[in-house]
Amino acid sequence: MTALRAVHLQRRPRVRPWQLVAVPVASIAAGLAVGAVFLTLTGHDPTMVYPAMLSAAFTTWFGFTDTLASATPLIGTGLAAAVAFRFGLYNIGAEGQLYAGAIAASGVALALGEAVPAPAAVTALLLAGVAGGMLWIAVPAAARAWLGTSEIITTLLLNYVALYWMRYLIFGSTSFWRDPTSTNFPQGKPIPASAELAELGLTRVHLGLGVAVLAAVLVTLVLNRTRLGFHLRVYGDSEAAASYAGINVRRLVLAVLLASGALAGLAGAGEIGGRAHALDPQGLALGLGYAGIIVAALARYNPLAVVLVAVLLGGVRNAGTALQSLPGGRVPIAISTMLEGAILLFTLGGELFIRYRLRFGRGQGAATAEDLESVPVASPAEPTTR
Amino acid sequence: MSGQSASGARRSGADAASSAEAPVVEARGVGKVFPGVTANAGVDLAVRRGEVHALLGENGAGKSTLASILCGLYQPDEGTVLVDGRPVTLRNPRDGLARGIGMVHQHFRLVERFTVAENIVLGDRRQPLVLSAGRVRSAMVELGERYGLSIDPDARVGDLAVGEQQRVEITKMLYRGVDVLLLDEPTAVLTPQEADALFTTLRAMAADGKAVVLISHKLGEVLAVADRVTVLRDGRVVGAVAADATDRHQLATMMVGREVDLSPRRAQSPPGVAVLDVRGVSLRPPGRPARLAGVSLQVHAGEVVGVAGVAGNGQRELAEVVAGLRAPTEGTVVVAGRGTTGRGARAARGAGLAYVPEDRLGTGLAPSLSIADNLLLTRPLGFFVDRRTATADARCVIERFDVKATGPAAAVRGLSGGNVQKVLLGRELSDSCTVLVVASPTRGLDVGAIEFVRDLLDERRRGGVGVLLLSEDLDEIRALADRILVLFEGRIVLERAGGDADLTELGLAMAGAGA
């Protein structure tokens, strides 16, 4: 009882801009600190491992370009989650939409064959990915718009359908996607070279990165500058206000969810055209769609921040692989997965401290957040910029 | 509005008997600071047995904070609280209850799934391990008879109407044996009839030697029920006066700090052509009772038509049908000669209708969007949104309506109630509209803001706009309306000219007893 009284949360009268940056940075630091405990317990020296991770992921040219390549699909799935979550539409199905995009993209590329010139083939591949992702979310989107069905459940369940369908195409059948020449382990048929995304020099960075960044810029522009974006912000803030203003809410829900699916599908197409060059069920099923949710949450659903966070998270994932061959002793890949989880946990927990602060002592024990909310706040959160 | 019917005789023995003895509860130099806000500063208040003592002040004047300090919910940063002349430290509401001080908050603290009797004994440490339902029941019956607080002990609180839940809260406090009962804006949730019943209860308690502290910003009810009035402004006491030695005008001036004119305003010239024509509108959701049944009304240019009714009797639905947000099952709506029935909010706006909904923050405005963005909400937009014009518009509204905000980029969520309404009115009134639908436009606003809003609506009327004013507050309706309609269970049951509408008659019609 006394312990409970000694510490309590108090709503901040105003949120200052620096807090929006400081809190996530502190959260990441806390996540790394917890990671350090585990590293020490498993017999590794954090002061060795963290610098090694940094160089493997960011401070060497190969490390950094590999990080960018790993970040590319995360930008796509991160944007997919960001555009939907930001407006209260929880598309958990980026994973499945990415598979569907990959299946559509590889199918179209295979069907077009070598004869088509590269620019046309690449465009077709990307558009097919977009279409595949949209198609995969179309039913959940329509069910949400017209029937109010929870998109969380429907999109999530369709992830498994997409996963097993993709596996079936390669492992379970002699489908159009399967390579008939590989006799040992079943593999996807390689797409024609004309449909492959151009790579930057000898690195693994491919055109998909440019496409993903362009998508982020485009999403930002639409959200901030256009009527659709304005209506979405109104809808995201208050559905009643949107209806009051005569905005067609159903159309907005459809637009957001289809765009979200399209972005995830685009990520799938990028993986086919830029990395796998064939429908590769093993190589695609890395949880990129779920990781996108983490990226979007850390980026506070800001599309441009998604790019930065994707690079950060891509680096952590990339370092995990590199750490396995660390000279000072092998660090299991589970460590990087654990770090990813710790950073997410602390960042989501840290969100609380943007709005609330801890107060020690029992002086105002009864003044809970609820009570304080009734106190008029003299100045609103955001000061004017001019 | 209510309570004037109660006679002066109610202020009987109270004053004479107890003015000499020490106050039952007293605040001396009480101060309380919340982050960014000074809620109370140097507040003195003395409440005596046998009196109804009103704490009057605008929103944010510090009334609730003071009451919360007196009941032990907050601890003062400075100053002392005295009970029966002795300084006390109230660490929590339980300490307050132990000293006989209890508070009924604006948001009730009841467990909806529990019965009335269960709620009444909840948290009472005097109860034996095994509850005796019979004892609680007989105590309730006794309290009910003495103070006019009848409630079924076995009813589930969640099934009760708001007015009944309030009676449960009061009974709970009386059952705990409080001598001082603090009530925070108790009439905000009540109909005029329920408010009158509450006032009778409060007078009975005072006559019984208890002290009642009534927090309010409504001048009428304070004058009707209180013996003494302490006025707060900006966290400080402006003055304490006897209720029968003051009047509305003086209290309003003390509260606001300047002269206020709240006298009724009527049309100066005869109304023009009908700008809003509602014919035979019904709204019958399948399988449920009709929300609106054959409502017909006309609003003419330069006229304010008031629709009075207790919440839940169809005003909201009527406003939404007229504004195009709902399609009626039957009937037609014509705005400025154009049929807009069931054609959506945009069609109604296109025909020249503006709508100020009762739910300002959340329906009329998007709370976390900026003032500038909110001004764009109901405007037709091109493919790209022109932010620069929106910012300029916002500056205009802020300046013209004297909105207290840091600038056009301020989120409306952070504004006070009066400023929120100014932004909403600023948007809806600056459009060139011919019909204006406003729901409870002054509800919850300060006296100063009420005056401002009434002036604004009156100015629109004189400019030839037809105004449909929906409210459950008869003061609000009577202050502006040229014609008054009463809506009960989805039907118009009474129509009167604004000038000579009889308060009792309107009140009865609202309760369904008229016609």
Side-chain angles (χ1 to χ4, degrees):
Chain A
M1 194 64 197
T2 14
L4 279 178
R5 237 182 238 166
V7 186
H8 52 261
L9 287 171
Q10 191 179 49
R11 200 179 172 86
R12 291 182 196 272
R14 56 179 299 177
V15 181
R16 289 180 177 79
W18 65 265
Q19 287 165 334
L20 293 177
V21 179
V23 170
V25 168
S27 301
I28 291 173
L32 291 175
V34 168
V37 173
F38 280 92
L39 284 173
T40 314
L41 287 177
T42 52
H44 301 281
D45 181 2
T47 59
M48 294 273 295
V49 172
Y50 284 153
M53 281 179 72
L54 206 61
S55 71
F58 297 108
T59 53
T60 59
W61 174 246
F62 275 108
F64 185 60
T65 53
D66 271 9
T67 292
L68 289 182
S70 307
T72 302
L74 290 176
I75 297 174
T77 54
L79 287 174
V83 296
F85 281 46
R86 180 165 167 163
F87 305 113
L89 293 165
Y90 298 98
N91 173 22
I92 313 288
E95 191 76 26
Q97 292 137 25
L98 181 142
Y99 301 155
I103 293 169
S106 52
V108 164
L110 289 171
L112 287 177
E114 294 283 359
V116 183
V122 166
T123 310
L125 171 119
L126 293 175
L127 287 180
V130 165
M134 284 169 83
L135 213 63
W136 207 246
I137 202 175
V139 171
R144 166 68 206 233
W146 272 277
L147 306 172
T149 314
S150 165
E151 73 284 0
I152 302 179
I153 309 286
T154 51
T155 55
L156 177 68
L157 292 180
L158 279 177
N159 285 346
Y160 298 98
V161 179
L163 175 65
Y164 291 107
W165 184 36
M166 181 169 72
R167 285 190 181 159
Y168 168 78
L169 289 179
I170 300 300
F171 303 134
S173 65
T174 52
S175 74
F176 178 62
W177 281 263
R178 182 164 162 173
D179 187 357
T181 60
S182 84
T183 42
N184 301 330
F185 192 75
Q187 282 178 354
K189 202 188 291 175
I191 59 168
S194 59
E196 289 179 9
L197 300 177
E199 288 177 0
L200 177 71
L202 291 174
T203 68
R204 287 172 49 216
V205 175
H206 56 79
L207 188 63
L209 178 66
V211 173
V213 172
L214 195 68
V217 173
L218 212 65
V219 167
T220 307
L221 283 179
V222 168
L223 293 186
N224 293 342
R225 294 269 180 268
T226 66
R227 180 178 57 206
L228 174 68
F230 178 69
H231 286 174
L232 280 171
R233 284 190 293 129
V234 173
Y235 168 80
D237 194 38
S238 162
E239 192 171 339
S243 303
Y244 161 81
I247 297 169
N248 187 335
V249 169
R250 192 167 284 167
R251 214 159 55 195
L252 282 188
V253 171
L254 272 182
V256 167
L257 287 177
L258 287 178
S260 176
L263 287 162
L266 187 65
E271 287 297 278
I272 295 294
R275 191 181 56 77
H277 301 150
L279 187 60
D280 170 18
Q282 304 289 68
L284 282 173
L286 301 171
L288 292 167
Y290 298 115
I293 298 173
I294 302 179
V295 170
L298 292 184
R300 322 189 96 245
Y301 310 140
N302 176 328
L304 292 181
V306 160
V307 175
L308 294 178
V309 175
V311 171
L312 184 79
L313 216 66
V316 173
R317 293 189 141 204
N318 202 26
T321 327
L323 285 182
Q324 291 179 83
S325 48
L326 199 67
R330 283 184 60 245
V331 177
I333 192 154
I335 286 291
S336 77
T337 315
M338 194 268 309
L339 274 178
E340 206 181 307
I343 291 175
L344 172 72
L345 202 65
F346 275 91
T347 312
L348 292 184
E351 290 285 288
L352 182 73
F353 294 101
I354 291 179
R355 288 186 191 286
Y356 295 91
R357 63 179 166 210
L358 278 180
R359 288 284 296 241
F360 298 92
R362 53 198 306 274
Q364 320 205 332
T368 60
E370 181 209 321
D371 294 319
L372 283 177
E373 254 164 340
S374 62
V375 176
V377 176
S379 48
E382 287 166 41
T384 45
T385 40
R386 289 189 200 178
Chain B
M1 147 180 83
S2 34
Q4 277 96 336
S5 50
S7 71
R10 61 195 159 56
R11 276 183 209 122
S12 47
D15 295 33
S18 55
S19 50
E21 59 185 82
V24 58
V25 62
E26 190 179 358
R28 279 193 200 156
V30 159
K32 178 78 183 170
V33 177
F34 291 114
V37 191
T38 302
N40 282 165
V43 170
D44 293 324
L45 173 78
V47 182
R48 301 197 176 89
R49 285 181 201 282
E51 74 169 354
V52 175
H53 194 124
L55 270 183
L56 181 69
E58 300 206 294
N59 296 327
K63 300 166 300 207
S64 298
T65 304
L66 178 58
S68 297
I69 287 171
L70 292 180
C71 79
L73 184 62
Y74 295 159
Q75 285 72 50
D77 294 336
E78 53 190 53
T80 43
V81 174
L82 296 90
V83 174
D84 289 324
R86 281 189 304 276
V88 292
T89 308
L90 306 174
R91 280 183 300 269
N92 50 45
R94 193 179 291 282
D95 281 1
L97 276 175
R99 308 251 178 203
I101 303 167
M103 180 158 171
V104 174
H105 295 268
Q106 234 172 334
H107 301 285
F108 300 147
R109 313 208 161 178
L110 297 170
V111 183
E112 299 212 333
R113 284 158 172 265
F114 281 16
T115 66
V116 170
E118 284 166 341
N119 267 288
I120 286 189
V121 298
L122 189 69
D124 186 355
R125 290 190 175 171
R126 300 169 306 170
Q127 294 294 322
L129 205 57
V130 180
L131 291 177
S132 151
R135 248 182 26 182
V136 179
R137 209 161 298 183
S138 61
M140 278 183 66
V141 169
E142 201 242 308
L143 288 172
E145 278 171 8
R146 186 142 40 128
Y147 301 118
L149 289 162
S150 60
I151 346 155
D152 173 11
D154 301 315
R156 255 172 227 296
V157 164
D159 298 336
L160 299 180
V162 187
E164 294 173 303
Q165 293 190 0
Q166 189 178 60
R167 291 209 286 276
V168 177
E169 282 278 29
I170 294 173
T171 309
K172 187 166 116 184
M173 289 302 148
L174 291 172
Y175 182 75
R176 299 284 181 83
V178 299
D179 293 321
V180 181
L181 184 67
L182 307 140
L183 297 112
D184 194 358
E185 304 269 1
T187 59
V189 294
L190 302 182
T191 64
Q193 281 72 26
E194 287 176 318
D196 275 338
L198 172 70
F199 294 158
T200 309
T201 299
L202 299 186
R203 291 310 321 173
M205 289 172 59
D208 212 22
K210 294 187 185 298
V212 176
V213 178
L214 172 75
I215 298 173
S216 179
H217 64 251
K218 295 186 189 164
L219 302 168
E221 68 183 38
V222 163
L223 285 168
V225 75
D227 299 301
R228 285 198 304 143
V229 185
T230 296
V231 183
L232 287 175
R233 189 171 73 231
D234 298 331
R236 290 166 201 280
V237 172
V238 184
V241 289
D244 45 16
T246 184
D247 57 22
R248 271 170 180 261
H249 184 77
Q250 189 196 0
L251 288 179
T253 309
M254 286 169 81
M255 231 168 117
V256 184
R258 61 176 170 82
E259 293 281 325
V260 201
D261 175 19
L262 291 176
S263 58
R265 295 152 174 80
R266 306 268 177 251
Q268 304 293 313
S269 50
V273 295
V275 286
L276 174 67
D277 193 357
V278 177
R279 273 175 206 251
V281 161
S282 297
L283 191 67
R284 304 176 201 277
R288 270 180 288 162
R291 303 277 188 77
L292 292 172
V295 172
S296 296
L297 62 89
Q298 286 191 322
V299 181
H300 302 86
E303 178 189 43
V304 175
V305 173
V307 176
V310 178
N313 279 280
Q315 296 119 297
R316 189 191 165 140
E317 287 79 1
L318 178 61
E320 289 182 353
V321 166
V322 171
L325 294 171
R326 279 176 194 247
T329 325
E330 296 150 27
T332 54
V333 178
V334 177
V335 177
R338 280 202 256 172
T340 58
T341 321
R343 290 181 46 213
R346 293 223 174 130
R349 283 191 179 276
L353 179 134
Y355 173 35
V356 178
E358 182 174 359
D359 175 26
R360 295 160 203 155
L361 211 56
T363 300
L365 299 168
S368 40
L369 265 52
S370 67
I371 295 176
D373 280 353
N374 268 296
L375 291 179
L376 289 175
L377 195 61
T378 55
R379 304 265 160 87
L381 298 173
F383 180 78
F384 287 106
V385 175
D386 181 2
R387 279 287 170 67
R388 205 163 295 165
T389 316
T391 309
D393 283 357
R395 282 187 202 289
C396 267
V397 168
I398 289 172
E399 196 176 323
R400 212 180 114 211
F401 292 142
D402 189 28
V403 177
K404 300 272 185 303
T406 50
V412 292
R413 182 197 293 291
L415 306 181
S416 75
N419 286 310
V420 164
Q421 184 67 314
K422 283 177 180 179
V423 172
L424 182 51
L425 287 168
R427 184 186 71 208
E428 295 299 301
L429 297 189
S430 63
D431 282 326
S432 53
C433 66
T434 48
V435 179
L436 181 61
V437 179
V438 284
S440 302
T442 60
R443 178 174 168 175
L445 299 191
D446 300 339
V447 173
I450 289 175
E451 182 193 31
F452 179 86
V453 170
R454 286 183 185 173
D455 282 347
L456 209 58
L457 293 175
D458 189 40
E459 177 200 307
R460 285 273 123 179
R461 163 167 58 194
R462 278 184 273 120
V465 173
V467 181
L468 184 66
L469 167 69
L470 304 105
S471 178
E472 51 181 328
D473 180 355
L474 283 175
D475 274 347
E476 189 175 40
I477 297 260
R478 282 172 9 125
L480 280 167
D482 302 307
R483 274 193 298 137
I484 301 178
L485 310 175
V486 175
L487 205 57
F488 176 73
E489 291 186 346
R491 290 170 200 282
I492 291 175
V493 293
L494 191 77
E495 175 165 357
R496 288 288 178 266
D500 52 49
D502 177 57
L503 197 64
T504 319
E505 186 187 28
L506 291 175
L508 285 172
M510 283 169 76

mmCIF file of all heavy atoms in Angstrom, chain A residues 216-230:
data_model
loop_
_atom_site.group_PDB
_atom_site.id
_atom_site.type_symbol
_atom_site.label_atom_id
_atom_site.label_comp_id
_atom_site.label_asym_id
_atom_site.label_seq_id
_atom_site.Cartn_x
_atom_site.Cartn_y
_atom_site.Cartn_z
ATOM 1 N N ALA A 216 7.578 6.039 -49.475
ATOM 2 C CA ALA A 216 7.460 6.742 -48.195
ATOM 3 C C ALA A 216 7.199 8.231 -48.430
ATOM 4 O O ALA A 216 6.364 8.841 -47.754
ATOM 5 C CB ALA A 216 8.724 6.547 -47.365
ATOM 6 N N VAL A 217 7.931 8.802 -49.398
ATOM 7 C CA VAL A 217 7.748 10.227 -49.702
ATOM 8 C C VAL A 217 6.330 10.465 -50.231
ATOM 9 O O VAL A 217 5.641 11.411 -49.830
ATOM 10 C CB VAL A 217 8.804 10.693 -50.725
ATOM 11 C CG1 VAL A 217 8.515 12.114 -51.187
ATOM 12 C CG2 VAL A 217 10.195 10.614 -50.121
ATOM 13 N N LEU A 218 5.899 9.562 -51.094
ATOM 14 C CA LEU A 218 4.576 9.700 -51.692
ATOM 15 C C LEU A 218 3.480 9.621 -50.618
ATOM 16 O O LEU A 218 2.539 10.427 -50.609
ATOM 17 C CB LEU A 218 4.383 8.579 -52.719
ATOM 18 C CG LEU A 218 3.515 8.918 -53.926
ATOM 19 C CD1 LEU A 218 4.194 9.995 -54.755
ATOM 20 C CD2 LEU A 218 3.247 7.671 -54.752
ATOM 21 N N VAL A 219 3.633 8.651 -49.720
ATOM 22 C CA VAL A 219 2.643 8.508 -48.645
ATOM 23 C C VAL A 219 2.603 9.788 -47.807
ATOM 24 O O VAL A 219 1.540 10.302 -47.465
ATOM 25 C CB VAL A 219 2.970 7.276 -47.768
ATOM 26 C CG1 VAL A 219 2.151 7.302 -46.483
ATOM 27 C CG2 VAL A 219 2.705 5.997 -48.531
ATOM 28 N N THR A 220 3.802 10.324 -47.508
ATOM 29 C CA THR A 220 3.854 11.567 -46.726
ATOM 30 C C THR A 220 3.115 12.690 -47.433
ATOM 31 O O THR A 220 2.334 13.424 -46.818
ATOM 32 C CB THR A 220 5.319 11.976 -46.509
ATOM 33 O OG1 THR A 220 6.008 10.876 -45.944
ATOM 34 C CG2 THR A 220 5.418 13.162 -45.568
ATOM 35 N N LEU A 221 3.374 12.818 -48.721
ATOM 36 C CA LEU A 221 2.724 13.890 -49.484
ATOM 37 C C LEU A 221 1.212 13.724 -49.475
ATOM 38 O O LEU A 221 0.472 14.683 -49.257
ATOM 39 C CB LEU A 221 3.232 13.906 -50.931
ATOM 40 C CG LEU A 221 4.615 14.527 -51.129
ATOM 41 C CD1 LEU A 221 5.022 14.462 -52.593
ATOM 42 C CD2 LEU A 221 4.615 15.976 -50.637
ATOM 43 N N VAL A 222 0.772 12.503 -49.714
ATOM 44 C CA VAL A 222 -0.679 12.281 -49.747
ATOM 45 C C VAL A 222 -1.303 12.619 -48.395
ATOM 46 O O VAL A 222 -2.312 13.304 -48.312
ATOM 47 C CB VAL A 222 -0.998 10.814 -50.137
ATOM 48 C CG1 VAL A 222 -2.465 10.497 -49.896
ATOM 49 C CG2 VAL A 222 -0.633 10.571 -51.590
ATOM 50 N N LEU A 223 -0.651 12.167 -47.333
ATOM 51 C CA LEU A 223 -1.229 12.393 -46.004
ATOM 52 C C LEU A 223 -1.226 13.868 -45.622
ATOM 53 O O LEU A 223 -2.155 14.352 -44.988
ATOM 54 C CB LEU A 223 -0.475 11.586 -44.947
ATOM 55 C CG LEU A 223 -0.608 10.071 -45.029
ATOM 56 C CD1 LEU A 223 0.066 9.411 -43.843
ATOM 57 C CD2 LEU A 223 -2.072 9.661 -45.094
ATOM 58 N N ASN A 224 -0.183 14.585 -45.992
ATOM 59 C CA ASN A 224 -0.052 15.961 -45.511
ATOM 60 C C ASN A 224 -0.619 17.008 -46.446
ATOM 61 O O ASN A 224 -0.912 18.115 -46.014
ATOM 62 C CB ASN A 224 1.414 16.293 -45.239
ATOM 63 C CG ASN A 224 1.951 15.498 -44.074
ATOM 64 O OD1 ASN A 224 1.176 14.967 -43.279
ATOM 65 N ND2 ASN A 224 3.248 15.395 -43.985
ATOM 66 N N ARG A 225 -0.727 16.687 -47.713
ATOM 67 C CA ARG A 225 -1.054 17.758 -48.640
ATOM 68 C C ARG A 225 -2.400 17.590 -49.356
ATOM 69 O O ARG A 225 -2.914 18.542 -49.906
ATOM 70 C CB ARG A 225 0.045 17.872 -49.715
ATOM 71 C CG ARG A 225 1.379 18.319 -49.185
ATOM 72 C CD ARG A 225 1.511 19.834 -49.241
ATOM 73 N NE ARG A 225 2.813 20.245 -48.735
ATOM 74 C CZ ARG A 225 3.028 20.568 -47.456
ATOM 75 N NH1 ARG A 225 2.043 20.506 -46.586
ATOM 76 N NH2 ARG A 225 4.223 20.936 -47.051
ATOM 77 N N THR A 226 -2.914 16.371 -49.385
ATOM 78 C CA THR A 226 -4.097 16.179 -50.232
ATOM 79 C C THR A 226 -5.385 16.097 -49.423
ATOM 80 O O THR A 226 -5.364 15.932 -48.208
ATOM 81 C CB THR A 226 -3.993 14.884 -51.061
ATOM 82 O OG1 THR A 226 -4.029 13.786 -50.152
ATOM 83 C CG2 THR A 226 -2.716 14.846 -51.863
ATOM 84 N N ARG A 227 -6.480 16.213 -50.135
ATOM 85 C CA ARG A 227 -7.790 16.106 -49.515
ATOM 86 C C ARG A 227 -7.972 14.730 -48.870
ATOM 87 O O ARG A 227 -8.460 14.605 -47.753
ATOM 88 C CB ARG A 227 -8.868 16.328 -50.588
ATOM 89 C CG ARG A 227 -10.286 16.241 -50.066
ATOM 90 C CD ARG A 227 -11.253 16.517 -51.182
ATOM 91 N NE ARG A 227 -11.041 15.598 -52.281
ATOM 92 C CZ ARG A 227 -11.350 15.852 -53.557
ATOM 93 N NH1 ARG A 227 -11.876 17.012 -53.883
ATOM 94 N NH2 ARG A 227 -11.139 14.969 -54.500
ATOM 95 N N LEU A 228 -7.531 13.687 -49.605
ATOM 96 C CA LEU A 228 -7.654 12.338 -49.052
ATOM 97 C C LEU A 228 -6.936 12.246 -47.709
ATOM 98 O O LEU A 228 -7.474 11.735 -46.730
ATOM 99 C CB LEU A 228 -7.083 11.313 -50.038
ATOM 100 C CG LEU A 228 -7.024 9.875 -49.515
ATOM 101 C CD1 LEU A 228 -8.415 9.306 -49.327
ATOM 102 C CD2 LEU A 228 -6.214 8.980 -50.441
ATOM 103 N N GLY A 229 -5.708 12.786 -47.671
ATOM 104 C CA GLY A 229 -4.935 12.744 -46.435
ATOM 105 C C GLY A 229 -5.631 13.502 -45.326
ATOM 106 O O GLY A 229 -5.673 13.054 -44.176
ATOM 107 N N PHE A 230 -6.193 14.643 -45.667
ATOM 108 C CA PHE A 230 -6.895 15.452 -44.670
ATOM 109 C C PHE A 230 -8.098 14.696 -44.118
ATOM 110 O O PHE A 230 -8.297 14.622 -42.913
ATOM 111 C CB PHE A 230 -7.325 16.771 -45.305
ATOM 112 C CG PHE A 230 -8.090 17.648 -44.351
ATOM 113 C CD1 PHE A 230 -7.459 18.234 -43.273
ATOM 114 C CD2 PHE A 230 -9.445 17.873 -44.537
ATOM 115 C CE1 PHE A 230 -8.158 19.036 -42.385
ATOM 116 C CE2 PHE A 230 -10.154 18.667 -43.652
ATOM 117 C CZ PHE A 230 -9.503 19.245 -42.576
#
